[in-house]
Amino acid sequence: MSTTNRDFPISARAERATVQPIGELMAKGAEKDIISLAAGLVDEETLPARQIAALFADFIRERGPKVLQYGVNEGLHSLRRKVLDRLASSDGPSARDVPLSRVMLSTGSQQMLYILTEIMVDPGDIVITAAPTYFVYLGTLQLAGARIVGIPADEDGMSIDALESAIDGIVKAGDGPRLKLVYVTTYFDNPSGVSLSVERRRQLLRVVQSSGAVHPLVIEDAAYRELSFGDADTPSIWSFDDHGANVAHLGTFSKPFSPGLRTGFAVLPRAIAEKASILKCSHDFGSANLTQHLIDYCIERGLYDSNVEVLRKTYAAKCALMCQCLERDMRGLALWRAPGGGLYVWVDMPGFNTGPSGDLFANCASEGVIYVPGQFSYPDPAAGPKSKMRLCFGPATASDIERGIGRLARAARRTPPSGGAR
Ligand SMILES: Cc1ncc(COP(=O)(O)O)c(C=O)c1O
């Protein structure tokens, strides 16, 4: 006799888990003859496979069998030290004084997002995000049963006025104690490509610190920090958090080096670090030791930094090409802003419905191109705009970008304007 999931008395938490629409998109993108401008993957040509093959034997010989042993729950000491040293060069020397006990490595930064949510959020608790925001994290929040409040964003990122009035509203409704997290991607956001301006970074922290009625943890997701096309870096929100009490700063080695190594890092307020360490122990008592050692070794050998330089040039060129193609093929049909880094161009097609069950999406699929419908990135898709899409130039070749945008334009020209969005 077969048993279906329905027959098991599964948890309320598992009941809240729904299939993420992006999974279907990824499967579609893998179909033959489809050009995927949807998948948020990195450029495969620049993954350091050849370089790692060349040093791997030396790496194993020098580090010894211990790299194949279990590692430390919080992560490899020398790599955590390097995280602080690198933060010191971007955010100021005081980063070096942060105790190592507040630095943790995780299985991608996604695991740390999950753990922090587990620490902070009970069902019904409130989490503030930008609208739009990183849609995988929206799934994590949904699983936790969070009430998500989306704050509009413009070319400087999340609106601080809107943040302030949302917090006011939450406090007036008596829900201050339930506001647990403010999640913000500070550099070259996924999906919008914008960075939170330095002024707003300061203001955001001030708003969170100055309201005695709420004490949310600010999660600063800096996943794309190193993928800047220009030379200037900007100080993180974390660098303004003088007492290290309000901000969890998350980064990753995925985007600037290799997502296959699945290693992220976080610098956390002390009390959060203590809990994160306990929870991490239940998750896996330490992320893969081998890959942490390998990243550590690649940083020491200079391979990591030289690779970042290559990536920045590669992505800058791909982004410029995508914007040129949009200019050539989509002028009059779409609006977009060239990002200063990251992997994404956020496109608005006024008058079109970009949703997964709309005509444009179907026509794009039949022309052989797919994108991420913008509505997936809004906490409340029904209330968000219907005319946005995320295009990723990460894994696409130059020819894919040229042909993909051409296909998108052909699909748009044969799509009747949708009543709703215009
Ligand atoms: C904004 C943002 N944060 C976090 C992640 C998670 O990355 P990883 O788990 O590979 O570090 C991603 C991945 O796409 C992302 O776009």
Side-chain angles (χ1 to χ4, degrees):
M1 198 176 70
S2 73
T3 309
T4 68
N5 271 341
R6 278 266 141 236
D7 298 326
F8 291 109
I10 65 171
S11 68
R13 184 178 177 76
E15 283 288 1
R16 285 195 295 271
T18 53
V19 176
Q20 295 294 313
I22 194 68
E24 281 172 38
L25 271 184
M26 295 302 169
K28 194 152 200 53
E31 285 173 17
K32 205 165 156 280
D33 298 331
I34 292 274
I35 294 174
S36 176
L37 301 178
L41 307 181
V42 302
D43 177 71
E44 210 153 300
E45 291 290 304
T46 48
L47 285 171
R50 200 175 29 81
Q51 298 89 320
I52 286 180
L55 59 67
F56 203 76
D58 284 346
F59 159 67
I60 294 281
R61 200 171 31 250
E62 285 172 35
R63 297 259 166 147
K66 69 172 184 293
V67 300
L68 296 170
Q69 182 57 277
Y70 284 118
V72 179
N73 181 45
E74 291 77 14
L76 182 67
H77 278 78
S78 51
L79 186 53
R80 284 152 71 207
R81 187 71 259 160
K82 287 182 180 63
V83 164
L84 289 180
D85 290 345
R86 296 172 77 81
L87 271 179
S89 59
S90 49
D91 278 335
S94 60
R96 282 205 186 85
D97 304 332
V98 173
L100 223 48
S101 56
R102 286 180 42 209
V103 184
M104 259 182 106
L105 303 180
S106 52
T107 304
S109 50
Q110 185 60 37
Q111 185 190 39
M112 188 50 69
L113 285 172
Y114 189 95
I115 289 177
L116 293 179
T117 308
E118 224 173 15
I119 292 173
M120 297 298 294
V121 179
D122 286 315
D125 282 347
I126 301 170
V127 175
I128 289 179
T129 71
T133 192
Y134 171 43
F135 51 78
V136 177
Y137 189 51
L138 287 176
T140 307
L141 291 174
Q142 185 192 340
L143 191 61
R147 283 186 278 160
I148 309 169
V149 176
I151 305 293
D154 59 21
E155 68 273 18
D156 285 329
M158 185 189 276
S159 154
I160 303 301
D161 288 345
L163 172 69
E164 215 167 355
S165 67
I167 294 180
D168 256 14
I170 290 166
V171 171
K172 284 199 180 104
D175 277 340
R178 302 216 73 172
L179 173 58
K180 296 299 187 71
L181 295 173
V182 175
Y183 169 76
V184 60
T185 303
T186 29
Y187 301 84
F188 319 118
D189 189 17
N190 173 7
S192 68
V194 301
S195 297
L196 192 70
S197 69
V198 176
E199 190 43 32
R200 287 194 188 179
R201 292 175 193 210
R202 282 204 183 85
Q203 290 169 343
L204 184 146
L205 195 58
R206 220 175 290 137
V207 166
V208 166
Q209 287 173 333
S210 62
S211 167
V214 295
H215 191 56
L217 174 70
V218 176
I219 300 182
E220 173 176 42
D221 185 340
Y224 297 91
R225 182 173 194 170
E226 282 160 289
L227 297 189
S228 153
F229 304 154
D231 291 330
D233 184 45
T234 40
S236 63
I237 300 184
W238 177 80
S239 70
F240 301 125
D241 184 18
D242 293 337
H243 302 290
N246 296 93
V247 181
H249 179 84
L250 271 57
T252 181
F253 295 106
S254 290
K255 311 293 178 182
F257 198 59
S258 161
L261 300 179
R262 300 307 295 129
T263 304
F265 59 86
V267 186
L268 304 168
R270 191 181 48 76
I272 299 290
E274 282 166 13
K275 282 288 176 205
S277 158
I278 296 166
L279 286 182
K280 170 105 175 116
C281 209
S282 288
H283 276 246
D284 56 15
F285 46 87
S287 298
N289 193 30
L290 176 69
T291 59
Q292 294 173 33
H293 270 282
L294 184 57
I295 293 167
D296 192 58
Y297 189 80
C298 290
I299 293 175
E300 281 173 13
R301 290 295 186 96
L303 171 57
Y304 182 86
D305 284 322
S306 61
N307 199 63
V308 169
E309 283 313 307
V310 172
L311 292 189
R312 291 170 62 189
K313 291 197 180 84
T314 304
Y315 290 133
K318 283 187 172 195
C319 179
L321 176 64
M322 181 172 270
C323 291
Q324 274 163 26
C325 294
L326 286 167
E327 188 65 40
R328 182 192 65 198
D329 297 336
M330 298 284 285
R331 190 133 52 124
L333 291 169
L335 303 164
W336 64 92
R337 194 182 302 115
L343 294 178
Y344 311 104
V345 181
W346 183 235
V347 176
D348 187 16
M349 294 189 62
F352 287 86
N353 175 359
T354 57
S357 34
D359 291 341
L360 180 67
F361 193 80
N363 287 339
C364 278
S366 75
E367 289 286 346
V369 64
I370 55 165
Y371 58 83
V372 174
Q375 68 184 61
F376 293 162
S377 300
Y378 288 86
D380 178 3
K386 306 284 178 292
S387 59
K388 312 272 190 182
M389 65 172 69
R390 188 195 80 176
L391 301 179
C392 178
F393 47 81
T397 61
S399 148
D400 284 345
I401 292 173
E402 296 215 26
R403 288 181 307 133
I405 300 295
R407 291 178 185 187
L408 181 61
R410 269 201 302 283
R413 282 201 198 89
R414 65 186 180 84
T415 303
S418 81
R422 211 185 263 284

